[in-house]
Amino acid sequence: MSIISEPRPLSDDAVRESLMQVIDPEFDIDIVNLGLVYDVLVEDKKVLIDITMTDPGCPIIDQIVGMVRGVVMRTFGLDTVLVNVVWNPRWNEEMMSDEAKIALGYPI
């Protein structure tokens, strides 16, 4: 007998949790723990996400944006997810979680 769980309701926290599936290939750490997810706003079935990159010259911005959109759309069955890449405030190492800092050898 298998147990079928109810899908998780769409919320800011649930979207953030789903974004932990998006791994930055340069650091091999998810974008949430890297501190790249600045804001998540859920209104009805619409999701708006503000993210940044570790560097404005990042060559994989489009790839990361596509992964963010894809994960959220698949996880919650949405047709549209808006992702804004923002540069203010500029990302720095202090924005990383302790988990990410330890994994990358930063002091905590």
Side-chain angles (χ1 to χ4, degrees):
M1 179 170 103
S2 67
I3 298 173
I4 299 173
S5 62
E6 290 292 315
R8 212 167 157 194
L10 180 62
S11 69
D12 299 359
D13 289 339
V15 170
R16 280 185 186 277
E17 184 176 316
S18 75
L19 291 175
M20 294 177 90
Q21 298 175 62
V22 179
I23 306 299
D24 183 299
E26 181 180 359
F27 296 102
D28 200 32
I29 306 275
D30 69 84
I31 63 170
V32 174
N33 279 298
L34 276 177
L36 300 179
V37 179
Y38 282 179
D39 195 27
V40 174
L41 178 63
V42 174
E43 291 183 351
D44 298 318
K45 292 270 186 189
K46 298 176 185 171
V47 178
L48 174 63
I49 304 168
D50 288 344
I51 65 171
T52 195
M53 299 291 131
T54 57
D55 186 291
C58 179
I60 59 166
I61 292 173
D62 293 337
Q63 180 182 349
I64 297 288
V65 168
M67 288 190 292
V68 166
R69 246 190 223 114
V71 161
V72 176
M73 289 170 74
R74 281 189 308 278
T75 301
F76 300 99
L78 301 173
D79 294 325
T80 303
V81 174
L82 302 173
V83 180
N84 292 321
V85 178
V86 298
W87 303 109
N88 190 19
R90 187 171 173 129
W91 180 88
N92 65 66
E93 295 86 4
E94 292 302 314
M95 295 174 168
M96 291 189 290
S97 69
D98 286 348
E99 178 183 308
K101 288 176 185 176
I102 290 168
L104 295 174
Y106 286 87
I108 55 169

